Structure formats: structure tokens, C-alpha cells
Amino acid sequence: HRSFTVSYEVGKDVDLAYHFDDSEITLNVNLGGEFEGGELLFGGLSWEPEEAHRARHPHFHRPGMGLLHRGAHCHEAVPVEAGRRMNLIVWCRSSEVRRRTCAMCGRDKTSTDVPVHVPVPPVDAGEGVTAGVGGDA
């Protein structure tokens, strides 16, 4: 696993571009802070066609609450409009899954077939953000 904190604050990091996580499962816990805006928007899974990524569904992240989701579920954090929000992110990874499957493109590592990368819609990627399948930035 990998754990880290992120902080969203006006005048600093206020949002996070559309991406998927380098995990099989992600736990995102809102550690608190007084803030406005900053909701999470979820789209499609990383391997789904572009149409699945057009609609974004909001989740309003309240202090003290955690959200568990698939790492492949593409999402973004919209700008915090006021205040500050702190989140604990835990990426849960499976050694067995990673031995069999490429974490970024989903290719079966046990197959001799040529890998096929399925792109997700292009995004502006910041530091530490996966822009698309296969790490395209």
C-alpha cells in the first residue's frame, strides 16, 4: 500500500485533475477543515470508452467520512472555493493482481499477445497525477 495526505486550500493546491489511482482499491478519508466547494466528481472506469467519462457524478466529501473506491474509477477534485480541506489517501495494492496484470494499462502479463492500451480522455496532469492509461501525460 501507499499512504499520503493531500491538502486543498485557496491560493495553494485547490483541485486535482481527472485521473485514476495506481491502486486496486483507494480509501480517501476527509480529515477535516472548514471549506466550501472541493467535491469529488467520478466518471467511468479507466478502460471504459470515452462516453463513460463525459458525465461526472458528484460526491460531497464531509469531514470525518471516508470513501472507498476502485483505483480504476476515474475521478477529480473540483476547486475549493474557501477554506482548507485535508485528506488521507490510502492506495491498497494486491501483489497477486500486479504479478498478473499491468497496473496502468490492464494488460495480462501472462499473455504473449501484443499489449493494447485503451486511452482515457486527455487531461492536464499535475505532479503525481496519472493523465491516462499507460501514463500518457
Side-chain angles (χ1 to χ4, degrees), residues 114-136:
V114 176
V116 177
H117 292 275
V118 180
V120 294
V123 296
D124 294 324
E127 183 178 326
V129 176
T130 302
V133 178
D136 301 333

Side-chain angles (χ1 to χ4, degrees), residues 58 101-102 109 113:
T101 309
C102 175
K109 292 180 180 179
D113 293 341

Side-chain angles (χ1 to χ4, degrees), residues 95 97-103 106-112:
S95 297
V97 168
R98 286 168 183 257
R99 273 192 288 278
R100 291 188 327 250
T101 309
C102 175
R107 178 182 57 84
D108 180 353
K109 292 180 180 179
T110 63
S111 172
T112 58

Side-chain angles (χ1 to χ4, degrees), residues 3 15-17 34 37 42 44 76 81 93 115 129:
S3 302
D15 62 3
L16 185 60
E34 296 292 325
F42 283 85
E76 64 185 305
E81 298 166 358
R93 297 172 172 166
V129 176

Side-chain angles (χ1 to χ4, degrees), residues 19-36:
H19 68 284
F20 63 91
D21 298 335
D22 186 12
S23 68
E24 279 66 63
I25 298 291
T26 296
L27 175 62
N28 182 335
V29 180
N30 184 331
L31 299 175
E34 296 292 325
F35 63 93
E36 293 178 24

